Amino acid sequence: MSQRGEIKFLGRGGEMMGNIDTVLRFRDKKEHLLIGMMSGTSLDGIDTALVHISTDDSGSINNVQLKHFDYCPYTEELRERILAISSNESAKLDEIVLAHYGLSEWYGFAVNKVLNDSGYRAEQIDAICSHGQTIWHAPAPRP
């Protein structure tokens, strides 16, 4: 972070870009390549989609095209780790941290697999989107 608390991003050429520069550059593009990942409470694995999104001058979406899709199933060991941290009775902070690290490795593997299988290069991708792994679902508000 900078002294003003702004998050800094590295551009494709390695130059530093502030938040607004990144947003404006992305906004002004009419063609976007994005990778989206989804892993949910089923704990079965990661769905990864590479999509091409076309926008018009106002930024409205004209077209979304699926370029590649892949599914990476979790190993039984990873599934059991996530399941263990999804319970009040067995969740431990150190296990949550280890699962966090393990899942980030798994997400990286999923992204690289989609890139390798699709023929796209990392520098062609505008954004990678993931909500992370749900380990606790509490839809009802608490007092």
Side-chain angles (χ1 to χ4, degrees):
M1 286 211 199
S2 72
Q3 292 178 359
R4 295 186 326 203
E6 292 178 342
I7 297 172
K8 294 293 184 178
F9 296 93
L10 287 180
R12 290 196 174 132
E15 75 279 7
M16 291 296 289
M17 300 186 319
N19 268 342
I20 195 66
D21 294 332
T22 303
V23 171
L24 292 175
R25 186 179 294 176
F26 186 80
R27 183 198 66 185
D28 292 341
K29 288 181 68 171
K30 304 296 182 249
E31 305 292 324
H32 306 274
L33 282 173
L34 299 120
I35 294 177
M37 295 184 288
M38 176 71 182
S39 56
T41 55
S42 64
L43 303 178
D44 60 344
I46 302 170
D47 295 319
T48 309
L50 171 62
V51 296
H52 176 262
I53 300 176
S54 300
T55 58
D56 62 20
D57 289 336
S58 73
S60 296
I61 295 174
N62 283 337
N63 188 38
V64 177
Q65 182 182 18
L66 179 65
K67 292 296 195 176
H68 192 80
F69 175 83
D70 194 44
Y71 167 72
C72 293
Y74 287 156
T75 62
E76 190 57 32
E77 177 187 0
L78 182 57
R79 185 181 181 287
E80 288 175 12
R81 276 188 182 251
I82 299 169
L83 193 57
I85 63 173
S86 299
S87 164
N88 277 339
E89 292 77 34
S90 59
K92 296 179 181 170
L93 186 56
D94 60 335
E95 289 296 322
I96 293 172
V97 170
L98 287 172
H100 178 75
Y101 173 79
L103 284 167
S104 66
E105 293 288 316
W106 211 259
Y107 293 143
F109 173 81
V111 167
N112 283 326
K113 187 169 186 330
V114 163
L115 290 173
N116 289 334
D117 292 352
S118 69
Y120 285 91
R121 298 180 322 277
E123 55 271 7
Q124 293 176 278
I125 306 303
D126 293 300
I128 299 173
C129 313
S130 173
H131 70 76
Q133 175 64 54
T134 302
I135 62 169
W136 183 258
H137 184 66
R142 290 186 174 182

